[in-house]
């Protein structure tokens, strides 16, 4: 088991496999590096070096009481990428991990990051306000916080239905995928998970998106019930200097798992472009 101890004493678990150009994966809330299994296998076979970590408070990393916000998440990634000596790296973030990836690229990625890929990402920000009229009401995230704090054993099962589109008529429900989501979620720390809801829902990544010079690919399912694509993906693609947007009719928030061949192919094409 590989870990690095960052400056505040938190242990960050990570996987580092293969050789070649590095691809660094940033997972979503409240999951872990294991959520990238389909991508790790695919890109290893294509000759890339793949790195995936468990964010602080998640998975096998320290169940932190403090630092459960985006600036610290990005600083942790910087310590890890510096330790591993990563250069010319591609950073891929899903959901909350998309915010982490773009914050890292904006603050620390100069001459280190070659491309960024945002999948079902929370960028630029999710909360409804005058500048984001199609955003999500804060009450929705208050409910997520409440259920995580008071009922997460059941809530982490129930949320898999909208996460993977399993509540849609005719859905091919795979209990193993649901169980794996629940397993990953329950590995992490409850305090860190509650705090992370604020981090993914209320952090504004507008200036991060504007400041990143490298090519950015934005991928989003049009039937994403967790992070609506109109208030995130469409706006994010407009904010970056060198962006490409692909949306997928009918695909869900968890499309890197449910539709891995499609997503992997589009990522690979962008990396090679």
């Amino acid at each position: 088991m590989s870990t690095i101890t960052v400056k505040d004493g938190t242990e960050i678990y990570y996987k580092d496999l293969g050789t070649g150009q590095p691809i660094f994966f940033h997972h979503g809330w409240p999951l872990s590096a294991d959520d990238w299994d389909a991508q790790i296998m695919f890109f290893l076979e294509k000759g890339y070096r793949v790195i995936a970590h468990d964010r602080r408070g998640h998975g096998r990393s320290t169940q932190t009481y403090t630092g459960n916000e985006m600036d610290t998440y990005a600083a942790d990634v910087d310590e890890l990428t510096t330790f591993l000596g990563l250069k010319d790296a591609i950073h891929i973030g899903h959901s909350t991990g998309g915010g982490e990836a773009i914050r890292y690229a904006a603050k620390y990625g100069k001459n280190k990051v070659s491309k960024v890929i945002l999948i079902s990402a929370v960028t630029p920000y999710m909360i409804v306000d005058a500048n984001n009229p199609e955003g999500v009401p804060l009450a929705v995230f208050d409910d997520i916080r409440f259920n995580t704090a008071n009922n997460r054993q059941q809530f982490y099962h129930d949320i898999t239905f909208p996460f993977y589109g399993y509540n849609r008529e005719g859905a091919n429900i795979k209990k193993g995928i649901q169980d794996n989501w629940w397993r990953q979620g329950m590995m992490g720390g409850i305090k860190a998970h509650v705090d992370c809801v604020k981090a993914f829902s209320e952090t504004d990544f507008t200036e991060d998106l504007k400041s990143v010079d490298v090519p950015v690919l934005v991928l989003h399912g049009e039937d994403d019930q967790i992070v609506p694509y109109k208030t995130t993906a469409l706006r994010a693609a407009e904010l970056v200097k060198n962006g490409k947007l692909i949306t997928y009719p009918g695909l869900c928030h968890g499309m890197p798992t449910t539709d891995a061949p499609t997503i992997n192919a589009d990522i690979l094409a962008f990396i090679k472009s």
Side-chain angles (χ1 to χ4, degrees), residues 45-67:
E45 291 171 356
K46 297 296 180 182
Y48 292 90
R49 177 184 178 186
V50 296
I51 303 98
H53 75 313
D54 291 356
R55 182 177 303 114
R56 63 169 54 219
H58 295 66
R60 290 141 293 205
S61 293
T62 301
Q63 295 192 8
T64 42
Y65 175 72
T66 60

Side-chain angles (χ1 to χ4, degrees), residues 239-251:
L239 288 167
V240 295
K241 296 173 184 176
N242 185 5
K244 179 180 180 180
L245 171 68
I246 303 176
T247 63
Y248 303 88
L251 293 199

Side-chain angles (χ1 to χ4, degrees), residues 130-190:
N131 296 318
N132 192 27
E134 293 190 59
V136 180
L138 182 61
V140 172
F141 301 108
D142 288 339
D143 186 63
I144 293 173
R145 264 186 286 266
F146 177 84
N147 280 290
T148 300
N150 296 282
N151 188 34
R152 73 171 181 157
Q153 295 91 338
Q154 185 61 43
F155 180 59
Y156 281 7
H157 169 74
D158 295 342
I159 200 173
T160 62
F161 287 93
F163 194 98
Y164 293 114
Y166 288 163
N167 55 352
R168 297 309 195 201
E169 184 176 355
N172 179 21
I173 299 173
K174 295 185 177 179
K175 189 174 184 297
I177 288 176
Q178 292 179 294
D179 290 348
N180 190 44
W181 201 102
W182 187 91
R183 174 191 67 84
Q184 292 179 74
M186 292 305 298
M187 286 170 65
I190 188 169

